[in-house]
């Protein structure tokens, strides 16, 4: 009887262990599945090959070569992460982290200014801590250049600038699928001509069940009136649930002499949000953009609604539909003053299409840095062996300028970037210079330097941003 109990316990243990252990064959099968799904679903292969030399067959082949009978599940998670990042498309992502997973971060925030990495947040520790403006030289003994090269292999983005920024964001976190860190993170920095080593302990963050961070609606949409009676509207996410709040904020700014719409760090969401904003800024019907869907078997199975909106241009020659127009109808009340949009490389997806529409319809000027360059309406594909999901874009978005938005985004009319002086003085220099631009355009006297507080947004919620699977990556 005792032997029988032991046998049953061993069987239970072995079954639970097998559910977590992957065989080499299972990993190869998963990569074959990813290869097949990506080939069938993804809509930008020709574009990515032309832009970056991306070869899907080679990516999968090289991934298979990394798999052996010794490869652990977490190591295979990292391989899938690199496979997705290799496509060079911010919408193509491996989503393998589950609710309840513990992640590790130092709490540090970093920014890249003219290619040099600096600390953007003061962090205290037992041995001094990081100061704002510290130049980062090494991380855990490795030269910062080499660390960024490795980080880029797992960083999602559609443009070199977006990928670089994503790799900088990872400097404050422990790579997601690795075992819990055993040592503190060590940053070697240069401060006042001296080289210093700073040790920072790890903090933990647990992925919540809903996949969202703690940012509330009030933080996602803010407004104020700046000197010169210039309106300021900041929109951090294109969530359809925010439309009423955004329009209410716009109404409150109706009496201003000009308007700055700040969409820096806006990762996207639903295209209807950008449409709602633009509808208040135009007096006649305009186009958001034109789009063509890849209507392959897997796409139409996963998104049957696409068949209702798109039709194939030639059912015998390709899987792509003919282009259709996405129109924006004017709504009342119309804002008839000067408007500019402030953006950066973290403006992506539905934010990208909003900025492109604003620019291509000649509504106003774009200030800041190049947007993230992404459209796609991605589909999530469930992977076998409880490995999570991988997603691929299915919709090609065409700018009114007559080119694809993917991989390019919108080039600003006037480039505005943060400076080291802005950083160490804890001010949002980009917003200050944007305000000066508007005041000059209106013939107003220049306002004394205003100390707008920066919002780099490279720490709070950033670890969750890359694995969020909700509305932020839907359209």
């Amino acid at each position: 009887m005792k032997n029988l109990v032991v046998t049953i316990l061993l069987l239970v243990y072995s079954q639970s262990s097998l559910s977590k252990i992957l065989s080499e064959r299972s990993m190869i099968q998963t990569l074959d599945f990813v290869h097949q799904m990506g080939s069938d679903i993804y809509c930008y292969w020709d574009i990515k090959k032309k832009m970056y030399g991306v070869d899907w067959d080679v990516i999968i082949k090289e991934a298979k070569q990394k798999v052996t009978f010794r490869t652990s599940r977490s190591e295979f998670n990292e391989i899938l992460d690199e496979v997705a990042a290799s496509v060079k498309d911010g919408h193509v992502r491996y989503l393998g982290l589950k609710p309840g997973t513990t992640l590790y971060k130092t709490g540090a925030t970093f920014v890249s200014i003219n290619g040099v990495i600096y600390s953007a947040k003061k962090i205290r520790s037992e041995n001094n801590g990081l100061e704002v403006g510290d130049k980062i030289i090494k991380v855990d003994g490795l030269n910062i250049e080499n660390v960024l090269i490795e980080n880029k292999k797992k960083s999602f983005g559609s443009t070199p600038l977006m990928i670089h920024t994503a790799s900088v964001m990872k400097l404050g976190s422990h790579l997601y699928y690795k075992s819990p860190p055993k040592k503190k993170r060590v940053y070697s920095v240069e401060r006042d001509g001296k080289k210093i080593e700073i040790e920072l302990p790890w903090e933990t963050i647990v992925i919540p069940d809903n996949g969202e961070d703690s940012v509330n609606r009030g933080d996602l949409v803010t407004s104020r009136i700046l000197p010169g009676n210039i309106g300021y509207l900041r929109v951090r996410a294109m969530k359809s649930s925010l439309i009423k709040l955004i329009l209410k904020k716009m109404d409150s700014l109706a009496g201003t002499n000009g308007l700055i719409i700040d969409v820096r760090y806006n990762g996207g969401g639903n295209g209807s949000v950008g449409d709602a904003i633009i509808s208040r800024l135009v007096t006649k019907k305009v186009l958001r953009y034109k789009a063509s869907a890849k209507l392959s078997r897997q796409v139409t199975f996963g998104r049957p609604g696409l068949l209702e909106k798109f039709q194939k241009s030639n059912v015998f020659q390709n899987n792509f539909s003919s282009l259709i127009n996405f129109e924006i109808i004017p709504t009342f009340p119309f804002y008839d003053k000067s408007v500019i949009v402030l953006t950066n490389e973290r403006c992506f997806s539905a934010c990208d299409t909003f900025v492109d529409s604003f620019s291509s319809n000649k509504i106003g000027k774009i200030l800041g840095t190049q947007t993230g360059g992404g459209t796609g309406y991605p589909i999530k594909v469930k992977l076998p062996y409880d490995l999570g999901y991988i997603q691929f874009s299915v919709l090609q978005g065409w700018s009114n300028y007559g080119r694809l938005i993917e991989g390019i985004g919108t080039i600003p009319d006037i480039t505005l970037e943060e400076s080291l002086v802005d950083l160490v003085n804890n001010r949002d220099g980009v917003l200050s210079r944007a305000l000066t631009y508007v005041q000059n355009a209106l013939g107003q006297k220049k306002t004394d330097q205003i100390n707008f507080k920066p919002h780099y947004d490279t720490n709070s919620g950033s670890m969750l941003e890359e694995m969020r699977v909700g509305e932020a990556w839907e359209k």
Side-chain angles (χ1 to χ4, degrees):
M1 182 65 178
K2 182 178 180 181
N3 290 337
L4 179 60
V5 172
V6 171
T7 302
I8 291 173
L9 288 173
L10 286 173
L11 283 172
V12 171
Y13 173 78
S14 63
Q15 287 174 357
S16 62
S17 298
L18 285 173
S19 67
K20 296 181 180 180
I21 297 174
L22 285 175
S23 67
E24 181 180 354
R25 180 183 177 186
S26 299
M27 297 180 201
I28 297 299
Q29 286 178 335
T30 299
L31 287 170
D32 284 335
F33 177 78
V34 170
H35 184 220
Q36 180 181 351
M37 291 297 102
S39 299
D40 187 83
I41 293 172
Y42 189 53
C43 64
Y44 288 117
W45 287 125
D46 291 344
I47 305 303
K48 294 302 175 181
K49 190 172 186 64
K50 186 181 298 184
M51 284 185 168
Y52 296 110
V54 170
D55 188 316
W56 188 228
D57 294 339
V58 171
I59 290 172
I60 297 298
K61 180 180 178 181
E62 291 178 349
K64 287 182 176 180
Q65 291 172 348
K66 297 176 183 178
V67 173
T68 70
F69 70 93
R70 293 190 178 91
T71 303
S72 67
R73 175 178 279 265
S74 61
E75 288 170 339
F76 188 58
N77 289 144
E78 290 188 56
I79 291 173
L80 291 172
D81 220 25
E82 289 189 18
V83 165
S86 297
V87 179
K88 311 295 183 186
D89 182 331
H91 279 116
V92 178
R93 294 173 176 241
Y94 171 54
L95 306 164
L97 295 174
K98 300 177 181 179
T101 301
T102 300
L103 305 177
Y104 301 86
K105 63 176 184 176
T106 62
T109 299
F110 304 96
V111 294
S112 178
I113 299 175
N114 297 324
V116 180
I117 312 304
Y118 297 96
S119 168
K121 184 179 179 181
K122 186 173 183 176
I123 301 288
R124 306 314 304 164
S125 71
E126 295 178 0
N127 68 332
N128 195 354
L130 285 175
E131 297 287 344
V132 174
D134 281 349
K135 179 181 176 181
I136 309 303
I137 301 171
K138 295 182 179 181
V139 178
D140 291 337
L142 300 175
N143 289 334
I144 186 64
E145 295 81 7
N146 294 333
V147 175
L148 291 176
I149 288 172
E150 288 302 308
N151 283 358
K152 285 178 181 179
K153 293 178 181 179
K154 299 178 179 65
S155 296
F156 305 110
S158 294
T159 64
L161 182 57
M162 185 182 180
I163 294 170
H164 174 71
T165 298
S167 69
V168 172
M169 289 171 59
K170 290 181 182 294
L171 295 174
S173 62
H174 184 66
L175 293 182
Y176 303 147
Y177 301 104
K178 289 186 176 296
S179 301
K182 297 179 180 179
K183 298 180 180 179
K184 295 179 180 180
R185 170 61 51 91
V186 179
Y187 297 103
S188 301
V189 308
E190 186 176 291
R191 182 192 303 163
D192 299 328
K194 298 179 181 179
K195 294 182 179 179
I196 307 170
E197 284 200 349
I198 308 295
E199 285 189 353
L200 292 184
W202 294 103
E203 302 172 358
T204 59
I205 181 172
V206 178
I207 301 177
D209 289 340
N210 60 3
E212 296 285 349
D213 58 28
S214 59
V215 177
N216 60 48
R217 291 178 61 193
D219 294 325
L220 294 176
V221 182
T222 56
S223 65
R224 60 188 291 196
I225 296 179
L226 306 179
N229 194 33
I230 307 302
Y232 175 74
L233 175 68
R234 183 186 177 204
V235 181
R236 282 187 57 190
M238 296 298 191
K239 293 178 174 291
S240 55
S241 59
L242 297 174
I243 290 178
K244 288 184 179 180
L245 179 59
I246 292 170
L247 296 182
K248 182 178 179 180
K249 296 286 188 182
M250 291 184 74
D251 288 341
S252 71
L253 301 172
T256 54
N257 296 329
L259 179 61
I260 297 172
I261 301 176
D262 188 348
V263 290
R264 291 175 294 171
Y265 307 103
N266 185 324
N270 195 301
S272 62
V273 180
D275 293 354
I277 297 173
I278 288 179
S279 73
R280 292 288 189 91
L281 305 176
V282 296
T283 56
K284 61 181 181 180
K285 182 172 64 178
V286 296
L287 290 183
R288 182 209 302 174
Y289 71 160
K290 296 181 179 180
S292 171
K294 186 173 184 181
L295 299 178
S296 64
R297 290 183 179 179
Q298 292 296 336
V299 172
T300 53
F301 177 78
R303 291 266 172 84
L306 289 175
L307 289 173
E308 300 173 11
K309 196 168 188 67
F310 296 89
Q311 292 183 349
K312 288 187 180 181
S313 54
N314 189 321
V315 294
F316 299 106
Q317 292 184 3
N318 61 56
N319 288 321
F320 284 91
S321 74
S322 53
L323 287 168
I324 67 168
N325 296 333
F326 281 73
E327 299 178 337
I328 303 174
I329 308 298
T331 59
F332 183 82
F334 167 64
Y335 186 85
D336 60 353
K337 306 298 193 310
S338 175
V339 185
I340 70 163
V341 166
L342 198 53
T343 188
N344 68 359
E345 70 277 6
R346 295 278 298 282
C347 166
F348 190 68
S349 195
C351 181
D352 242 316
T353 57
F354 160 71
V355 174
D356 179 81
S357 179
F358 181 92
S359 174
S360 62
N361 284 301
K362 311 298 181 185
I363 298 171
K365 298 291 186 181
I366 307 296
L367 280 65
T369 57
Q370 179 185 7
T371 61
T375 60
Y377 195 33
I379 286 181
K380 288 187 298 178
V381 178
K382 184 173 176 59
L383 298 178
Y385 305 109
D386 198 29
L387 284 165
Y389 297 83
I390 193 165
Q391 64 180 32
F392 297 97
S393 298
V394 302
L395 202 68
Q396 290 187 348
W398 288 81
S399 166
N400 296 321
Y401 286 121
R403 55 166 173 74
L404 284 167
I405 297 173
E406 176 64 39
I408 301 172
T410 300
I411 309 299
D413 298 296
I414 299 173
T415 298
L416 297 179
E417 298 177 298
E418 294 289 352
S419 68
L420 183 57
V421 174
D422 295 329
L423 179 66
V424 297
N425 285 285
N426 192 35
R427 69 169 180 247
D428 188 342
V430 169
L431 178 55
S432 296
R433 290 186 282 278
L435 175 60
T436 298
Y437 171 85
V438 175
Q439 290 176 326
N440 288 340
L442 295 175
Q444 296 180 351
K445 292 182 179 180
K446 183 179 178 181
T447 304
D448 292 337
Q449 181 68 52
I450 301 173
N451 191 24
F452 296 118
K453 296 299 181 183
H455 45 80
Y456 293 109
D457 198 29
T458 52
N459 183 48
S460 178
S462 63
M463 299 182 76
L464 292 179
E465 183 173 318
E466 291 199 2
M467 70 228 32
R468 187 178 293 126
V469 296
E471 185 186 29
W473 304 109
E474 286 296 309
K475 297 184 180 179

